[in-house]
């Protein structure tokens, strides 16, 4: 019987492989065989950890949320002026690096899949609402006198900005390079500071 840490290591290996397949080949390329090939293991091992393609998808969606939430948590924990923290959290959410480009492609794939899958849609909504709540809190730190409703409206506009940029970049990175993302975030935060 494998040791618990071996199981954790296998799951981490498979999680990485799922992510690599999604980033390179999108949802259509996500198969048990493709994950096994990326992980350098058997399809049986993949099926043991993730018995269905849907289990792979749900795990990968949660992994995407976990990665982005951990970066945002670290940014918030580092502290600083409220506008700088908000700018940095938004900066982690847009496509500024090759890794972020992978995340954007994966996110767009999940969004498309969620349209036809109620469980993925529910997962997507929950993670999006978590991001809206985080940004509402950060906007409130910048504008403490604003009502909660105004903070939330502003947060939703910021979410639409970064997710719209990510979606457009996933399909057309030449038109929406990192400089465009950086400028859009900086402009939005400057306007908020007003």
């Amino acid at each position: 019987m494998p040791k618990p840490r071996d199981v954790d290591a296998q799951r981490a290996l498979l999680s990485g492989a799922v992510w690599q397949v999604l980033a390179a080949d999108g949802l259509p390329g996500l198969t048990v065989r493709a994950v096994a090939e990326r992980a350098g293991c058997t399809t049986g091992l993949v099926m043991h950890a993730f018995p269905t393609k849907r289990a792979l998808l749900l795990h990968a969606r949660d992994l995407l949320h976990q990665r982005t939430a951990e970066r945002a948590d670290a940014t918030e924990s580092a502290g600083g002026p409220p506008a700088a923290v908000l700018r940095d959290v938004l900066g982690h959410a847009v496509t500024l690096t090759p890794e972020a480009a992978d995340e954007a492609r994966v996110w767009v794939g999940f969004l498309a899949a969620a349209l036809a899958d109620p469980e993925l849609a529910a997962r997507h909504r929950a993670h999006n609402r978590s991001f809206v709540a985080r940004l509402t809190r950060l906007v409130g730190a910048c504008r403490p006198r604003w009502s909660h409703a105004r903070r939330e409206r502003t947060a939703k506009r910021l979410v639409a900005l970064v997710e719209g940029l990510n979606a457009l970049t996933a399909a057309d990175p030449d038109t929406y390079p990192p400089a465009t993302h950086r400028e859009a975030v900086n402009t939005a935060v400057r306007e908020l500071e007003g």
Side-chain angles (χ1 to χ4, degrees), residues 32-84:
V32 170
R33 182 180 306 267
V35 171
E37 286 175 10
R38 288 278 180 160
C41 68
T42 65
T43 56
L45 180 62
V46 176
M47 293 296 291
H48 179 71
F50 303 105
T52 64
K53 181 176 179 175
R54 187 162 219 259
L56 285 169
L57 283 173
L58 291 171
H59 173 73
R61 181 61 182 101
D62 289 342
L63 183 61
L64 175 59
H65 176 71
Q66 178 186 344
R67 284 176 158 190
T68 57
E70 285 172 357
R71 281 196 308 266
D73 288 345
T75 299
E76 284 192 68
S77 293

Side-chain angles (χ1 to χ4, degrees), residues 2-179:
K3 296 177 187 173
R5 108 181 111 193
D6 292 337
V7 171
D8 291 343
Q10 287 174 345
R11 193 160 177 86
L13 173 72
L14 294 175
S15 293
V18 167
W19 191 261
Q20 291 169 8
V21 170
L22 282 170
D25 305 322
L27 287 175
L30 184 64
T31 64
V32 170
R33 182 180 306 267
V35 171
E37 286 175 10
R38 288 278 180 160
C41 68
T42 65
T43 56
L45 180 62
V46 176
M47 293 296 291
H48 179 71
F50 303 105
T52 64
K53 181 176 179 175
R54 187 162 219 259
L56 285 169
L57 283 173
L58 291 171
H59 173 73
R61 181 61 182 101
D62 289 342
L63 183 61
L64 175 59
H65 176 71
Q66 178 186 344
R67 284 176 158 190
T68 57
E70 285 172 357
R71 281 196 308 266
D73 288 345
T75 299
E76 284 192 68
S77 293
V85 173
L86 176 61
R87 183 182 306 102
D88 290 346
V89 167
L90 291 170
H92 288 303
V94 291
T95 307
L96 299 178
T97 65
E99 295 80 17
D102 287 347
E103 287 182 355
R105 284 190 298 277
V106 170
W107 180 86
V108 168
F110 280 119
L111 182 59
L115 297 175
D117 184 320
E119 189 173 2
L120 273 175
R123 196 80 52 106
H124 186 80
R125 280 191 301 273
H127 295 322
N128 179 66
R129 289 173 184 168
S130 173
F131 189 41
V132 169
R134 179 187 300 273
L135 292 186
T136 300
R137 186 178 67 253
L138 293 174
V139 168
C142 294
R143 292 293 192 165
R145 293 187 178 154
W146 283 5
S147 69
H148 178 77
R150 186 171 181 189
R151 293 173 189 179
E152 187 176 58
R153 283 192 309 271
T154 301
K156 287 177 182 177
R157 283 195 304 270
L158 292 171
V159 169
L161 172 71
V162 298
E163 300 300 12
L165 283 167
N166 287 335
L168 292 167
T169 300
D172 189 2
D174 293 334
T175 300
Y176 300 94

